Amino acid sequence: MLSNADAATAAPLRPIFPLHPVAPEDQPKRATSRCSSCAMRAVCMPQNLTAEDFARVDAMICTTRHVKRGDALYRAGDTFHSIYAVRTGSFKTVMVHRDGNEQVTGFQIVGESLGLDGVHEGRHNGDAIALEDSTVCVIPFGQLEQLCRDMRPMQHHVYQMMSGEIVRESSLMLLLGTMTAEQRVAAFLLNLSKRFRMRGYSSAEFVLRMTREEIGGYLGMKLETVSRMLSTFQRKGMVAAQGKQIRIVDSESLARI
């Protein structure tokens, strides 16, 4: 008879069956990378997963997709199959009004998620467009649901992701509804700075992959206003800007605006 330790070693990992169909382009392929060895796992995954937990996650996330700059990861109305984690590059999410005008609803950088909007009705309600050549890890939602039932840390992590979406939407409403143009641009730069710092990158110097027009679309401002605010910050010695390269010189003054 096997000892408890031997039985634990010999027991196969529970299989993961998809509860939702997986889109053809996201069908499992030979894994090129694993969550267990990914440098960004501390950002994308719960902190207290065991080796066995990671083995199950690796079995689930066995597909990556490459999205060229300007191409869509998904479009509004597409059937919801999976959520995505940005592995390299960056994205913008966009909703199109009935008159054809676009509203940028967010910018996603390395380690952040995309696609949670599709959970509600089974279809995506906006477009996700690559701001540069990018790669995403594909997370089939049906398999993720099963993992959440078996792994409490993963369940809590998904709750945190969904809560983060609610907080982000509330912050955008506050940004658009109560702040001046100067405050909006300052808050935007400080938010990006914080997110880069959380991912191990420089919080003081980074590249804006989005255009000034796209920033304006997100902040509810015209391109000219965004450019004028950045010039004002530079003149006051709070930032240094050269093209898309931004260096935050005085974050405290930015925060006081």
Side-chain angles (χ1 to χ4, degrees):
M1 178 178 291
L2 291 173
S3 66
N4 289 339
D6 291 336
T9 303
L13 296 176
R14 293 177 60 186
I16 303 171
F17 299 104
L19 304 183
H20 295 277
V22 180
E25 64 270 24
D26 292 338
Q27 288 294 333
K29 305 176 182 68
R30 183 166 175 260
T32 57
S33 58
R34 295 178 177 272
C35 291
S36 55
S37 57
C38 178
M40 297 303 299
R41 75 178 192 180
V43 177
C44 298
M45 290 290 147
Q47 301 299 305
N48 52 345
L49 296 185
T50 65
E52 181 178 345
D53 291 337
F54 267 118
R56 297 195 68 202
V57 173
D58 286 340
M60 175 184 68
I61 308 176
C62 57
T63 304
T64 57
R65 277 181 64 186
H66 301 284
V67 187
K68 293 183 179 180
R69 178 184 177 187
D71 286 352
L73 174 62
Y74 55 79
R75 294 282 188 186
D78 285 353
T79 302
F80 171 69
H81 299 289
S82 306
I83 62 174
Y84 306 90
V86 182
R87 184 174 179 83
T88 63
S90 55
F91 287 80
K92 66 175 179 178
T93 46
V94 178
M95 294 186 69
V96 181
H97 297 293
R98 285 178 295 179
D99 59 8
N101 290 326
E102 289 187 352
Q103 170 66 53
V104 179
T105 58
F107 299 105
Q108 292 75 27
I109 62 174
V110 171
E112 296 181 340
S113 62
L114 285 159
L116 282 167
D117 61 300
V119 176
H120 176 53
E121 294 185 340
R123 293 188 179 276
H124 294 288
N125 69 349
D127 303 343
I129 310 296
L131 293 172
E132 55 189 307
D133 289 349
S134 304
T135 307
V136 296
C137 298
V138 180
I139 308 170
F141 194 70
Q143 297 181 10
L144 179 61
E145 286 180 304
Q146 182 167 322
L147 276 185
C148 287
R149 285 196 294 270
D150 298 339
M151 296 163 50
R152 291 297 298 275
M154 183 63 74
Q155 183 183 67
H156 182 67
H157 185 66
V158 171
Y159 288 159
Q160 285 184 313
M161 290 168 59
M162 292 182 169
S163 176
E165 288 289 301
I166 295 171
V167 170
R168 187 182 65 80
E169 292 285 345
S170 300
S171 298
L172 180 58
M173 291 177 65
L174 176 68
L175 196 71
L176 298 178
T178 65
M179 293 186 179
T180 65
E182 195 174 29
Q183 289 172 329
R184 293 181 199 183
V185 177
F188 174 76
L189 293 176
L190 291 172
N191 176 263
L192 267 183
S193 171
K194 176 183 176 181
R195 288 154 64 191
F196 280 123
R197 182 178 70 249
M198 290 172 61
R199 282 146 186 82
Y201 299 113
S202 171
S203 61
E205 191 165 353
F206 45 85
V207 176
L208 297 176
R209 298 298 181 183
M210 64 292 293
T211 65
R212 302 288 195 266
E213 185 174 11
E214 288 167 334
I215 295 172
Y218 177 66
L219 298 177
M221 299 161 50
K222 293 185 179 298
L223 159 68
E224 295 79 11
T225 307
V226 175
S227 297
R228 187 170 67 251
M229 292 300 100
L230 289 174
S231 296
T232 298
F233 295 162
Q234 190 160 7
R235 188 174 63 253
K236 292 181 177 180
M238 291 184 283
V239 304
Q242 185 173 5
K244 289 179 173 290
Q245 191 81 25
I246 293 288
R247 182 163 57 88
I248 297 179
V249 180
D250 188 351
S251 59
E252 293 183 1
S253 293
L254 270 184
R256 285 196 297 267
I257 292 176

